[in-house]
Amino acid sequence: MTIGIHDISAATGSLVFALADLAEHEGIDVGKYHRGIGQTEMSLTAEDEDIVTMAARAAAPIIERHGTEGLRTVIFATESGIDQSKAASVFLHRLLGLPRAVRVVEVKEACYSATAAIQFALGIVARRADERVLVIASDVARYELNSSGEATQGAGAVAMLISENPAVLEIEPVSGVWTDDVWDFWRPNDRSTALVDGRYSVQVYLESLEGAWNDYRAHGGADFSSFARVCYHQPFTRMAVKGQQRLARIADPDGESTDIDRLADTVEYNSRIGNSYTASIYLAFLSLLDNGPDLSAERIGFFSYGSGAVGEFFGGVLVPGYKSQLRTEELQNMLAARRPIGYDEYRHRHIAYDRVGDFETADETHGDVRFAGVEQHKRLYEAR
Ligand code: COA
C-alpha cells in the first residue's frame, strides 16, 4: 500500500511589497535582502483576507477536481489562528461546501504543524484506505515594524489531499524527529506579532536538522546520496542553503559538493511570497514541482522545522506523471496579479492590522470567498 500526496494547490495574499522599498527606507543595501536572506518580495493580505480565505482559495481547486467522496477529515495547520477555541477548518468546511460527516480540527506547533498533520493523515488512510484527508497549512507571518524579522514577513496557504495510491508523492514510512523546549520564536496570546531571537532560531533550526537527520538514519532512513532534492522549511530562502550545507557536512562528509544549485527550484515561490510559516516547506515542494525538471520516480527529502522547537526529516518518491497534476499557471498568475503597495501603505496596513470589537472590512479582493468583518465577536465569511 502506498500513501501520500494525491493533489497539492496553493494560494497567497492579494498584495505585494518589494523588499527594495523597505531597504531604501531603512537606508541599507538591498543586497542584504536579495542575497543575504534570499528574499525579494513579501505577500500581504488585504483587509478582507486571512488564513481562512487563503486556505479556501488553495483548497477549492482540489475539491473541484476530486469531489468529497471518502473525504472524512480536514486538518488545518496554522500558527496565526483566528480563534482560541473554534478551529479555522470549521469556517473552511462551510466555505468549501463539505458534507456534515467530516471531522475537522486545527493543529499547532509553529511552522512544523503541517508535517504533523500529514503524518496524522497517513495514519488515518493506513487504517481505512477508502478515506482521504485534506491537510491545509495557512499562515500570515507578522513581525514588529523595525524588527530583525520584518523583512521575512509573508502570507500563504498550501492544501494537500492525502490518499492511497497518490498521484504526486508517495511518502515513505521512515521519519526522523527531534524536540527541545527553547525560546527562539514564540507569540504570546496578547500579541499579533511574533517575538523572535533571530540568530538563535537559525542555530536551533540547524541543531534540529542534525538531530532529526540522525534519528531518520537510526530508523533505517535512506542515504543522503539517494535524494534528488531536499525541500527545507524556508523562513527566508537562504535558510535552505544553510540547511543543505549543514546536512551535507554531517550526512555526506566526503561528498564533493553541497549541491546548493539543486535548491534553486525550491526557493522560487518563497523568495516572492516571504515566510508563510506552516505552508513554507510545502510551497518549497510545490516550487520544485512547478519550476523544476521532471523528477519522476526520484526521492525527495523534507526537513520541517517549527520554533520552540520541533523538527522532522522524511522522504518521498515522486509518482511518474505527477507533472500532469499541477496547476503551475494558476499560481504564477496569482503571484503576478498581486497589487503592489508602497512603503507608506505597507506601514499603514501593518499598524491598522489589529482591529478589535465589531467592524466591517473593505471589499478589496475578487476571490470566491472573503472575510467580511466581525459582528458580536463572530467572524463573518462570505462566499461570492
Ligand atoms: N549583501 C549581501 N549579503 C548581506 C549584505 C549585503 N549588502 N548585508 C548583510 N548580508 C548578509 C549577512 O552577511 C548575513 O549572511 P549570513 O547569515 O550568511 O551571515 C545575512 O545577510 C543576514 O544578515 P544579518 O545581519 O544576520 O541579518 P539580521 O540579523 O538583521 O537578520 C535574521 C537575519 C534571520 C536573524 C532575521 O531575518 C530574523 O530574525 N528572521 C526571523 C526569524 C527567522 O526567520 N528564523 C529562522 C529560523 S526559523
Side-chain angles (χ1 to χ4, degrees), residues 29 31-32 35-36 143 148-149 152 196 198-199 201 235-236 242 305:
D29 178 5
K32 173 172 173 179
R35 295 189 302 282
Y143 295 92
S148 75
T152 67
V196 64
R199 301 247 172 101
S201 72
F236 52 95
K242 291 177 195 285
Y305 175 77

Side-chain angles (χ1 to χ4, degrees), residues 169-248:
L169 182 82
E170 292 174 5
I171 298 179
E172 296 177 314
V174 184
S175 252
V177 289
W178 181 97
T179 292
D180 194 14
D181 180 4
V182 296
W183 292 93
D184 61 329
F185 167 109
W186 67 106
R187 185 169 68 81
N189 285 344
D190 56 353
R191 293 180 62 97
S192 73
T193 50
L195 294 166
V196 64
D197 184 341
R199 301 247 172 101
Y200 180 51
S201 72
V202 170
Q203 184 191 319
V204 184
Y205 178 113
L206 296 173
E207 271 171 35
S208 163
L209 170 60
E210 194 162 335
W213 171 259
N214 288 338
D215 188 54
Y216 173 76
R217 290 291 284 161
H219 285 82
D223 201 73
F224 182 64
S225 60
S226 72
F227 289 97
R229 300 285 191 282
V230 179
C231 297
Y232 294 86
H233 167 51
Q234 296 170 6
F236 52 95
T237 66
R238 278 291 293 179
M239 193 66 233
V241 174
K242 291 177 195 285
Q244 181 85 342
Q245 285 167 338
R246 173 66 68 96
L247 195 53

